[in-house]
Amino acid sequence: MPKLVLVRHGQSFWNLQNRFTGWVDVPLTEKGKEEAFKAGELLKDIRFNVAYTSALTRAQETLRIILEVIGLQIPVIKDQALNERHYGALQGLNKDRARQKYGADIVHLWRRSYDIAPPEGESLKDTAARTIPFLERAILGDIYEGNDVLVVAHGNSLRSIIMYLEKLTPEEIIKVELDTGVPIVYEMDKEGNVLNKEIRKH
């Protein structure tokens, strides 16, 4: 059975600084690189045929390290459809400062609601509107052909994919937290249904 593996990129500098990152291209910290290395160690048993990542450096670098550790050279498809949710006016802002500026309740609403977007930004629903068509068209296309697929992307783009794969409601998906550099391994059938899910940690 084909496998679909999702990995959130390793820690970035703005993760470390507790800032809204969104589409800003921020590199990995040393800890982030180490998380990517560990993810590679945890995935050495899977011989991926193809990998997908976003247009952002932190995800691409995480993927590069993972493939290096596994010792694989495979096609890598980079697409903006897998980018993190766009945080609009919040991008670059420290999350504590954002709470002071806009109020804790409204910032919590922007971060944890399904369909309420921050100013000039995207909601999770908006993110899913670009992520899911790409998933159906490209990523699941490889699954239908029996390929093992690795996707390295971002907290919210991966949340939208998980919502689709696991058939979660908006209320369920907003409670899902994804740790950086922790692989989620789905065993799939060739119709794109999930048969088994495993979260791999050291």
Side-chain angles (χ1 to χ4, degrees):
M1 293 292 105
K3 289 185 173 66
L4 173 57
V5 178
L6 309 180
V7 183
R8 183 184 172 197
H9 63 80
Q11 184 194 64
S12 74
F13 276 99
W14 280 13
N15 291 146
L16 180 63
Q17 295 168 358
N18 198 31
R19 292 162 81 176
F20 287 100
T21 312
W23 282 34
V24 181
D25 213 1
V26 180
L28 296 179
T29 61
E30 285 307 310
K31 181 186 175 187
K33 292 174 186 175
E34 181 62 27
E35 288 173 338
F37 182 86
K38 286 178 180 172
E41 291 283 335
L42 291 167
L43 294 171
K44 279 187 168 179
D45 61 314
I46 304 174
R47 308 312 289 174
F48 294 103
N49 303 101
V50 63
Y52 290 87
T53 190
S54 74
L56 299 168
T57 302
R58 58 193 184 272
Q60 294 176 10
E61 180 72 354
T62 301
L63 174 59
R64 186 192 64 74
I65 293 168
I66 290 172
L67 292 178
E68 202 171 272
V69 171
I70 298 173
L72 277 180
Q73 288 187 317
I74 56 173
V76 172
I77 293 115
K78 300 168 186 172
D79 200 287
Q80 191 171 288
L82 294 174
N83 276 18
E84 177 57 294
R85 172 182 169 190
H86 199 300
Y87 274 107
L90 300 182
Q91 289 189 164
L93 201 57
N94 177 280
K95 289 172 185 172
D96 293 328
R97 288 206 195 95
R99 290 183 193 101
Q100 290 166 8
K101 183 175 180 180
Y102 296 104
D105 289 347
I106 190 74
V107 171
H108 181 77
L109 198 61
W110 288 332
R111 292 189 70 198
R112 286 294 170 258
S113 67
Y114 179 66
D115 55 5
I116 300 172
E120 301 160 44
E122 291 180 312
S123 65
L124 183 56
K125 184 179 181 181
D126 297 329
T127 308
R130 59 176 161 81
T131 305
I132 298 310
F134 183 75
L135 171 74
E136 292 177 327
R137 183 177 72 248
I139 297 169
L140 289 180
D142 274 302
I143 294 295
Y144 301 149
E145 291 177 10
N147 292 320
D148 288 339
V149 182
L150 174 59
V151 179
V152 180
H154 307 265
N156 286 294
S157 54
L158 292 177
R159 261 197 200 97
S160 62
I161 290 173
I162 288 167
M163 182 179 178
Y164 178 96
L165 293 175
E166 298 185 22
K167 300 177 172 59
L168 302 179
T169 65
E171 293 72 32
E172 288 169 330
I173 194 59
I174 58 175
K175 295 174 186 157
V176 172
E177 288 291 337
L178 298 181
D179 294 327
T180 49
V182 174
I184 303 170
V185 180
Y186 292 99
E187 282 187 35
M188 313 284 289
D189 65 20
K190 289 188 184 180
E191 282 71 55
N193 300 305
V194 174
L195 302 177
N196 187 49
K197 175 187 178 182
E198 177 194 0
I199 298 173
R200 296 192 178 183
K201 293 186 177 182
H202 275 283

